[in-house]
Amino acid sequence: MARSFNDFLGSKPAYYAQDVLKRIGVTGPPVDLGAVADFRGYEIREIVAANYRQFPNLASILATASAHLLRSHNLILINGDMPLVRRRSDTSHEIGHDIMPWQEGLNFSCGESALSLPMELVEREAFSAGAELLLPRLSFADDAEATALAIPSIYGLSRRYQAPLEVTAMRYAALSLRRCAILVAEPPTAGYLHGSYDGSPAGQGQLEFPFRIQRRPLAVAPLPPLAVKYVLRSSRFPHFIFPRTPIADGTVIFRSWQSGSSITDDIPAVALGVNSRHVSYRAECHPFGFNGTSKVLVLLSLEDHQLALRFPTGGAL
């Protein structure tokens, strides 16, 4: 697609996604990603293992990546063996690469391995643009605020927008006006000791999607059974919770992970490494996983006293 000076909207990837959605007239969820791809001049083609022979080297590409943007053929190749929500997420991510002018001319194979340091900025931009395509701020923010602050609300939004649960949860926290945060905990890998474990969304409101914060290696010690992978905060959640914080046995998060069941209870802020001994969070914990992983999705919330403020006329704030 030919570009002009008016196509440059600034440095925020989400602006380009919003512009595309406006141009094609998206009216509501779920977003028709086929129409978005067609507007950009691409065909989405889902490839299953039996059809790899159509494209040389595709098997080796999709062995480590779930999607491939093939600009030379105007194709977005998606691993058709993935669940629908994962295919939609991968498609929006690949379109995200294409809509940013400064990424023009590059082909991408995107999977978890794509988040290595040299490509991290590029991938983070595509995550931001892709999230805006999949979960448009204009409708998603209002839909999220209209629901109760609870994990079932996130499930409902995930189904409504046909988006992965974890991506929906991240967006839910990032756009919320309430005092909440999304925490994901999982058993740490060996990278936990060497500073590479926190390569997932650790911006906690500064950025919407994965941002690596380099830290000094931890002293050699046995790995904890469970640790914080990342936390994404709303703009009104007051505390910063560090990735790699161990989750202690006996806490509601650990009990939920250990039992494989959803549990809601209070958790002291100090249990998550926050230096505030008089504060506790309401923690709604839900175990989940993909491809054999074992994670816990946690919705942390604090009582919002501002919602109870009253004006002299009796009106609520």
Side-chain angles (χ1 to χ4, degrees), residues 47-199:
I47 307 295
V48 295
N51 297 329
Y52 283 175
R53 61 181 179 275
Q54 295 179 11
F55 298 93
N57 303 319
L58 185 61
S60 60
I61 291 174
L62 293 184
T64 57
S66 52
H68 183 56
L69 177 63
L70 194 60
R71 282 192 163 116
S72 59
H73 291 71
N74 287 357
L75 288 174
I76 299 174
L77 303 178
I78 303 294
N79 187 340
D81 295 322
M82 294 289 185
L84 172 63
V85 292
R86 178 66 182 273
R87 298 198 302 271
R88 284 179 52 81
S89 179
D90 292 342
T91 299
S92 65
H93 179 94
E94 297 306 318
I95 298 172
H97 279 300
D98 183 70
I99 63 179
M100 290 176 286
W102 57 89
Q103 292 194 16
E104 193 169 293
L106 301 176
N107 287 325
F108 296 94
S109 300
C110 296
E112 293 183 2
S113 60
L115 293 178
S116 58
L117 281 172
M119 291 294 292
E120 199 160 291
L121 175 60
V122 169
E123 292 303 315
R124 190 163 70 247
E125 291 171 341
F127 270 111
S128 181
E132 185 64 40
L133 291 172
L134 193 64
L135 303 160
R137 178 186 298 258
L138 190 62
S139 60
F140 184 83
D142 289 342
D143 286 348
E145 289 302 306
T147 64
L149 185 60
I151 284 183
S153 299
I154 299 175
Y155 267 97
L157 290 166
S158 174
R159 290 190 295 269
R160 176 171 165 78
Y161 284 81
Q162 294 184 9
L165 174 66
E166 193 169 357
V167 176
T168 306
M170 292 160 63
R171 192 78 163 156
Y172 186 85
L175 298 181
S176 180
L177 299 177
R178 294 174 277 196
R179 286 158 58 91
C180 65
I182 287 293
L183 178 151
V184 169
E186 68 177 6
T189 62
Y192 174 87
L193 294 175
H194 302 290
S196 60
Y197 178 67
D198 55 340

